[in-house]
Amino acid sequence: IYLLKMNKYNTHTHTHIYMIYDYISNSASFCLPNHSTTVRRPFPLSHGTTTLGFIFQGGVIAAADTRASAGGLVACPAVHKITPIHSHLVVTSSGSGADCMLWERILTREIRLYQLRHRRRLSIRGTAKLLSFMLHPFKGTEVCVALTLCGWDKESGPKLIYVCSDGARLQGDIFSVGSGSPYAYGVLDGGLKWSLSKDEAISLAREAVFRATHRDAYSGNNVDLFHITAQGWSQRKREDLKEEYYRDMEKRSKDRRGKIKRE
Amino acid sequence: MFYCVLGFGDPGKMKDYHYTGPVEHKFSPYAFNGGTVLAVAGEDFAIVASDTRLSEGYSIHSRDSPKCYKLTDTTVIGCSGFHGDCLTLTKIIDARLKMYKHSNNKTMTSGAIAAMLSTILYGRRFFPYYVYNIIGGLDEEGKGAVYSFDPVGSYQRDTYKAGGSASAMLQPLLDNQIGFKNMEGVEQVPLTQDKAVQLVKDVFISAAERDVYTGDALRVCIITKEGINEQTIPLRKD
């Protein structure tokens, strides 16, 4: 049980940590792991992904693949890795599927409570800080979340902040997270310019996820794309990367035919 | 195929069958009791099916231990994995259902049960319930709903899902027959209840052929707005 001061000037970070203990202990007897007697788990949990986000002149783009792998098995080929928190914030998740799902749920709850208590929406930077402080007690445990908060603040415009369970909290213009991120970074770094149009940015994001899923075994299936502007987030229809692959093959075979003609 | 066959081993590492010197075995609180669960959602029905074999290592404990548990008039849960955790988890779910009924004066909907189960499982994030759950039932609009879980609470709504020891064998078959995936030029007809039940029976017969932990008998629970209808069909006993 904790005491919550409803004072406008009070920072709630300290009490939030106790709220998390409370929340989880309310569900069941939650024991923080005791490292000398950690139980070996006989099953693998879902991991492996490619997610990315970047800022350009038209807002923020968030993209992710949709594969959840558990060891060598594709546990689910159609997961939602990008979840909206509120109308101007989406979060891309990477790491352990269950951890991301539950922590996003906790974050959504805290943001909503903040909005109800303080009659204003918490900024993206504030949200990231809150999430980072909530994850801090679990540093060193098996909790594995690497979230990218992509949103639009009324005061400061587009924002992209990376928060992970190791304690990192970084603001930037491009982030890619997950096992497929090196491949995605290559494509993004090569093609990203501030002055891209909306369609060019979307096709760049899709291309980056496609290349990553092509090379990374743990990413694949479909690509989800979200576009965040001052008016809020909008989601593109989920696209099957199999189609993208066949389109790409078509294009390459045309080029090859072209080359042979020239010689 | 399914790493937990070894019980305690590292996933992905092949076991060496030669003398490596004295090894200290630590007590593991988990055991793998086998079993396969399947759920399919139709337009106005849902089917949850499981085999009834309870095994451990090379032995069979019981040939009549079904893994489907009725939660409400419109929801059935299938739990496979470690039988001890399955029993405790279903007890906890039943208790929480009663509490909800007493404080809210209504039965929990399938979606609500799924969300609750997710938080129950995550409450034991650092000493998980070794159970693969699949919930099948009807949602508020009367349409079939299937929710599949991983052992620590990650879940989502599906049209069909297989869980348990033969899941990796059955899921591609379901993808093909119900999801019409990886086929070209096929007419995508919606699944009728009779076709779905026949498909589930065929799928389990195949599973019993190829998976040692699946067999003995098949328990099918068909959930419609009239209620829950249970059928038992014999499978291979070897």
Side-chain angles (χ1 to χ4, degrees):
Chain A
I1 303 298
Y2 58 93
L3 289 171
L4 184 63
K5 285 183 260 181
M6 300 298 262
N7 190 327
K8 204 164 78 157
Y9 303 104
N10 190 37
T11 52
H12 290 272
T13 48
H14 192 59
T15 49
H16 280 300
I17 293 173
Y18 293 122
M19 274 153 75
I20 298 308
Y21 283 131
D22 228 57
Y23 167 82
I24 297 176
S25 62
N26 278 340
S27 352
S29 56
F30 185 77
C31 37
L32 270 183
N34 185 346
H35 286 280
S36 56
T37 58
T38 343
V39 178
R40 192 94 162 288
R41 255 199 331 255
F43 49 78
L45 291 182
S46 28
H47 251 97
T49 190
T50 305
T51 71
L52 58 92
F54 61 83
I55 301 181
F56 71 113
Q57 57 78 20
V60 190
I61 297 277
D65 75 312
T66 61
R67 176 176 288 184
S69 48
L73 175 70
V74 175
C76 183
V79 181
H80 296 274
K81 295 193 191 177
I82 311 186
T83 334
I85 302 275
H86 57 70
S87 62
H88 287 72
L89 173 62
V90 307
V91 57
T92 72
S93 49
S94 160
S96 165
D99 287 333
C100 289
M101 188 176 274
L102 270 292
W103 280 102
E104 277 161 21
R105 201 186 159 120
I106 294 172
L107 182 66
T108 313
R109 188 190 72 149
E110 292 305 315
I111 295 304
R112 183 74 181 126
L113 284 172
Y114 186 95
Q115 193 177 352
L116 291 168
R117 286 178 184 135
H118 298 86
R119 278 176 278 149
R120 72 174 184 92
R121 191 175 260 171
L122 192 55
S123 65
I124 311 292
R125 275 188 64 198
T127 312
K129 234 181 194 174
L130 179 63
L131 180 61
S132 185
F133 293 166
M134 289 199 294
L135 284 170
H136 182 69
F138 299 94
K139 185 174 159 72
T141 70
E142 292 169 342
V143 173
C144 178
V145 289
L147 310 173
T148 319
L149 301 170
C150 316
W152 190 289
D153 273 332
K154 246 201 315 251
E155 301 88 31
S156 38
K159 271 283 191 309
L160 188 63
I161 307 183
Y162 168 73
V163 179
C164 92
S165 50
D166 295 331
R169 180 169 45 90
L170 304 166
Q171 185 176 323
D173 292 328
I174 312 181
F175 279 109
S176 175
V177 188
S179 51
S181 62
Y183 311 103
Y185 269 129
V187 174
L188 281 178
D189 289 333
L192 186 63
K193 289 191 291 286
W194 177 261
S195 55
L196 287 173
S197 74
K198 174 180 164 194
D199 290 324
E200 283 170 354
I202 285 175
S203 89
L204 177 69
R206 192 174 56 230
E207 178 79 6
V209 175
F210 169 58
R211 298 289 169 204
T213 58
H214 185 56
R215 284 288 177 178
D216 178 32
Y218 294 100
S219 309
N221 294 99
N222 308 35
V223 57
D224 275 332
L225 268 161
F226 274 70
H227 180 215
I228 305 109
T229 55
Q231 280 69 45
W233 58 262
S234 62
Q235 184 180 7
R236 269 179 76 84
K237 190 162 156 293
R238 181 173 267 193
E239 288 165 43
D240 195 339
L241 287 170
K242 198 170 57 178
E243 309 298 323
E244 182 78 24
Y245 177 71
Y246 287 135
R247 276 201 292 270
D248 195 55
M249 287 273 284
E250 261 297 313
K251 208 159 43 108
R252 280 170 195 279
S253 65
K254 277 203 202 109
D255 285 338
R256 228 172 285 134
R257 274 185 252 131
K259 272 199 193 115
I260 292 169
K261 270 193 196 146
R262 260 182 264 132
E263 279 160 49
Chain B
M1 174 95 269
F2 193 73
Y3 327 101
C4 305
V5 166
L6 300 175
F8 318 93
D10 273 329
K13 212 161 84 171
M14 290 283 285
K15 212 171 173 179
D16 290 323
Y17 286 100
H18 61 263
Y19 185 64
T20 42
V23 178
E24 187 183 337
H25 288 287
K26 198 164 163 247
F27 168 71
S28 168
Y30 294 118
F32 180 61
N33 293 117
T36 308
V37 185
L38 182 73
V40 177
E43 189 52 45
D44 57 351
F45 67 93
I47 299 175
V48 180
S50 76
D51 73 322
T52 60
R53 173 176 288 180
L54 191 74
S55 42
E56 187 167 351
Y58 291 113
S59 322
I60 294 178
H61 285 314
S62 166
R63 294 196 194 272
D64 186 22
S65 166
K67 292 158 194 68
C68 319
Y69 302 93
K70 176 169 167 284
L71 297 178
T72 67
D73 285 329
T74 54
T75 320
V76 174
I77 190 172
C79 312
S80 68
F82 171 42
H83 193 62
D85 277 345
C86 296
L87 292 175
T88 308
L89 191 60
T90 45
K91 278 195 196 120
I92 289 177
I93 297 172
D94 280 332
R96 292 285 295 266
L97 283 172
K98 277 203 192 100
M99 282 156 62
Y100 185 94
K101 181 85 195 286
H102 290 147
S103 49
N104 296 282
N105 200 25
K106 70 181 186 113
T107 350
M108 277 185 99
T109 60
S110 296
I113 297 177
M116 178 185 76
L117 180 56
S118 173
T119 49
I120 293 175
L121 292 171
Y122 199 80
R124 287 270 299 256
R125 169 68 176 80
F126 298 113
F127 181 15
Y129 289 110
Y130 180 11
V131 191
Y132 289 93
N133 295 290
I134 305 182
I135 291 181
L138 301 174
D139 65 8
E140 290 98 337
E141 295 160 23
K143 294 204 176 83
V146 164
Y147 297 91
S148 61
F149 293 77
D150 84 346
V152 276
S154 166
Y155 80 105
Q156 65 170 55
R157 186 169 173 175
D158 292 313
T159 320
Y160 53 85
K161 187 80 178 172
S165 58
S167 60
M169 285 179 224
L170 299 182
Q171 192 65 35
L173 179 56
L174 294 177
D175 283 335
N176 183 274
Q177 291 296 307
I178 305 181
F180 301 105
K181 298 234 176 101
N182 309 315
M183 287 199 286
E184 281 184 41
V186 169
E187 196 197 328
Q188 303 212 352
V189 286
L191 204 60
T192 60
Q193 187 175 321
D194 295 321
K195 197 155 182 293
V197 174
Q198 192 52 50
L199 184 67
V200 164
K201 289 178 187 166
D202 291 338
V203 149
F204 264 92
I205 291 170
S206 314
E209 294 285 330
R210 285 290 187 175
D211 180 33
V212 299
Y213 296 106
T214 307
D216 291 331
L218 165 66
R219 173 71 66 90
V220 184
C221 303
I222 306 163
I223 304 142
T224 49
K225 64 178 193 304
E226 276 92 46
I228 299 179
N229 179 8
E230 284 183 19
Q231 292 174 24
T232 309
I233 297 113
L235 291 175
R236 287 185 80 105
K237 291 185 166 31
D238 60 1

